[in-house]
Amino acid sequence: LTQEVMQRWIATMPCGPITLTHKVRLLARFFDHIAVCGVIARSPLQRLRLPRASTRFRPYIFRKEEVAAILDATKRLPAYTRFPLRPETVHTVLALLYGLGLRATEVAAVRVLDLDLVEGTLLCRAVKRGPVRRLPLPPAARPHLEVGENRIHRLEVNDARPFLAGADLPLQDFVGIGR
């Protein structure tokens, strides 16, 4: 086996650069081992240059039209007897995730007491390695949050987590994944 043969064989591998690098490194260890054992004179992968594998995550930035289409689709989600405000809740959760840049854990940790609709702010407690912060609410989120707040206040529960109303349902049922 020559380095050229190995280079051509590697070029035919249908995988990404990170996986390719892992596979070639594993194969190189094998060839190094059999070279030490005297089976071959030297590894054909010695001094082989691979394309540099980037490990940087490249986020997808949604266009405004895509976000609008996703939010519109949430309004068509079916409601359940145990979770009648599912479409409104999912719509609001996604709007908060997108509009405020919150993490899913931060939205899940929101309590009714964290919402200040008079000031138009949201207290964000579940911040990853950071201080508690108060965020301005997007004007479009207020009507949805008022619906949830009114529903929770009718139940007279001030420490409730309004976005976990369907927490006893499997996540797939909550957001309609796979349907």
Side-chain angles (χ1 to χ4, degrees), residues 31-105:
F31 280 123
D32 289 343
H33 172 72
I34 62 173
V36 168
C37 292
V39 177
I40 58 175
R42 71 179 189 99
S43 170
L45 296 178
Q46 200 172 30
R47 297 187 184 128
L48 180 70
R49 299 205 183 257
L50 293 173
R52 187 163 180 86
S54 172
T55 57
R56 286 196 59 205
F57 172 72
R58 296 179 68 193
Y60 179 80
I61 308 297
F62 287 95
R63 295 187 324 271
K64 287 182 181 180
E65 300 82 26
E66 292 172 315
V67 173
I70 291 168
L71 290 174
D72 188 49
T74 63
K75 295 174 184 174
R76 293 188 301 274
L77 289 171
Y80 295 121
T81 306
R82 291 176 18 207
F83 192 14
L85 292 176
R86 178 177 179 241
E88 295 88 348
T89 302
V90 173
H91 180 90
T92 303
V93 166
L94 290 178
L96 288 173
L97 288 168
Y98 177 77
L100 295 177
L102 297 180
R103 294 178 176 88
T105 54

Side-chain angles (χ1 to χ4, degrees), residues 1-177:
L1 291 175
T2 66
Q3 192 170 14
E4 293 77 28
V5 169
M6 294 305 296
Q7 192 79 35
R8 284 196 313 267
W9 178 72
I10 289 169
T12 65
M13 296 179 97
C15 56
I18 294 173
T19 303
L20 178 68
T21 301
H22 289 297
K23 287 181 176 184
V24 171
R25 284 184 182 161
L26 181 64
L27 190 58
R29 288 175 53 195
F30 169 74
F31 280 123
D32 289 343
H33 172 72
I34 62 173
V36 168
C37 292
V39 177
I40 58 175
R42 71 179 189 99
S43 170
L45 296 178
Q46 200 172 30
R47 297 187 184 128
L48 180 70
R49 299 205 183 257
L50 293 173
R52 187 163 180 86
S54 172
T55 57
R56 286 196 59 205
F57 172 72
R58 296 179 68 193
Y60 179 80
I61 308 297
F62 287 95
R63 295 187 324 271
K64 287 182 181 180
E65 300 82 26
E66 292 172 315
V67 173
I70 291 168
L71 290 174
D72 188 49
T74 63
K75 295 174 184 174
R76 293 188 301 274
L77 289 171
Y80 295 121
T81 306
R82 291 176 18 207
F83 192 14
L85 292 176
R86 178 177 179 241
E88 295 88 348
T89 302
V90 173
H91 180 90
T92 303
V93 166
L94 290 178
L96 288 173
L97 288 168
Y98 177 77
L100 295 177
L102 297 180
R103 294 178 176 88
T105 54
E106 292 170 338
V107 173
V110 169
R111 298 178 306 170
V112 172
L113 296 173
D114 296 337
L115 296 171
D116 186 342
L117 296 176
V118 175
E119 292 291 322
T121 61
L122 171 70
L123 186 66
C124 187
R125 299 175 187 273
V127 180
K128 186 177 178 182
R129 294 186 299 269
V132 173
R133 61 186 184 187
R134 187 162 292 280
L135 303 169
L137 290 171
R142 283 187 176 188
H144 300 288
L145 294 171
E146 286 170 358
V147 167
E149 186 180 50
N150 291 336
R151 179 185 65 159
I152 297 296
H153 283 303
R154 279 197 309 270
L155 298 173
E156 296 179 7
V157 179
N158 290 326
D159 199 34
R161 291 196 166 111
F163 304 125
L164 293 182
D168 56 333
L169 299 172
L171 180 62
Q172 293 151 329
D173 289 343
F174 177 70
V175 296
I177 295 171

